[in-house]
Amino acid sequence: MFEQAAIAVRDEQGYAKLHAMIDAAFDPRDVDVLLNRVTRAKLRIRNYEEILKRGFLGKDAIALYAALPVSDQGLTRERYLRLVEKVPGELRQRYFKAYAYY
């Protein structure tokens, strides 16, 4: 059975701030806004770095992410992608272009 190794967070304060911003963007009341912005920008929702660069996760998110050590950046990308997959099916269907792989 596969078990993912636990990776310790090195910059807990920056990590917590960035994750709070990501969680806020994926809040059930606000995720529709994020998906709408991503679709209008003709981006894919799984393209974390481009969404971050465009400021869709918050203005301070870019600096917070850049200041994190590489291991914390990897954990952040994994968390983001997990939240992308937890978006309800009806929203995923409505914003099909953001979720499509083509």
Side-chain angles (χ1 to χ4, degrees):
M1 182 125 205
F2 175 76
E3 188 174 315
Q4 185 174 3
I7 300 173
V9 175
R10 295 172 65 199
D11 179 5
E12 291 186 25
Q13 188 175 13
Y15 183 83
K17 284 181 186 177
L18 182 57
H19 282 240
M21 295 173 93
I22 293 171
D23 290 344
F26 281 95
D27 184 89
R29 297 168 294 206
D30 296 331
V31 71
D32 192 32
V33 174
L34 173 65
L35 290 171
N36 189 19
R37 292 176 72 191
V38 169
T39 302
R40 282 189 290 137
K42 297 181 180 171
L43 296 173
R44 301 289 180 255
I45 192 67
R46 292 177 185 89
N47 189 349
Y48 174 71
E49 281 80 12
E50 188 62 32
I51 289 170
L52 183 70
K53 268 195 252 179
R54 299 267 182 117
F56 293 165
L57 300 176
K59 293 178 182 178
D60 298 332
I62 301 165
L64 286 171
Y65 182 74
L68 290 176
V70 174
S71 61
D72 292 353
Q73 287 179 354
L75 291 171
T76 300
R77 281 190 305 274
E78 284 183 22
R79 180 182 180 98
Y80 172 84
L81 291 172
R82 272 196 308 273
L83 290 172
V84 164
E85 296 305 319
K86 287 184 179 180
V87 171
E90 68 269 359
L91 282 176
R92 292 175 73 156
Q93 198 62 30
R94 187 170 3 146
Y95 295 103
F96 177 76
K97 287 186 178 185
Y99 274 90
Y101 280 108
Y102 55 84

